Amino acid sequence: IQLTQEDVVSLQDGRISLLNQTFLIEEFNDKLKERMELREEEANKWIDEGVQCKILSPQSHWKKGKIRIRLEFVPDDSDSPLDDVRSKE
């Protein structure tokens, strides 16, 4: 699930050194920018647009693309369209 700037996160296992136990994604991004010690424009590239790069993995050749920093939410339970069908069996 891609989070927006207004979404609120509440950590279950305490707090991280950047923030309190409960924080907005916007606050996370702001603190990350501070810690990266980048100018606003440069930090926004890392978080919003991405920065041009190349990657090399053992399974393939060099690939061009962008790298960007994101906070991602992965739910414990997945809602699948097949859940209703499975529950009827």
Side-chain angles (χ1 to χ4, degrees):
I1 297 174
Q2 187 161 342
L3 304 173
T4 67
Q5 296 282 15
E6 294 82 29
D7 288 330
V8 176
V9 175
S10 178
L11 300 175
Q12 301 301 307
D13 296 328
R15 61 185 293 273
I16 56 176
S17 60
L18 285 177
L19 299 160
N20 295 319
Q21 187 172 349
T22 303
F23 56 89
L24 291 167
I25 297 302
E26 181 178 30
E27 293 173 312
F28 176 85
N29 288 341
D30 289 344
K31 289 290 185 183
L32 187 59
K33 290 174 189 177
E34 283 176 25
R35 291 289 176 115
M36 291 172 65
E37 297 180 3
L38 300 173
R39 292 173 310 173
E40 184 76 16
E41 178 183 311
E42 194 175 1
N44 286 339
K45 278 187 174 182
W46 278 95
I47 293 171
D48 299 325
E49 303 166 32
V51 177
Q52 285 296 132
C53 69
K54 294 191 297 185
I55 63 164
L56 178 63
S57 66
Q59 298 84 12
S60 68
H61 56 284
W62 282 103
K63 292 183 184 179
K64 291 183 181 181
K66 291 183 178 180
I67 188 169
R68 75 178 156 206
I69 299 171
R70 293 255 183 228
L71 187 61
E72 179 182 14
F73 174 72
V74 181
D76 286 342
D77 57 337
S78 62
D79 294 329
S80 167
L82 299 176
D83 287 346
D84 292 336
V85 174
R86 290 182 189 125
S87 66
K88 292 179 183 176
E89 293 178 351

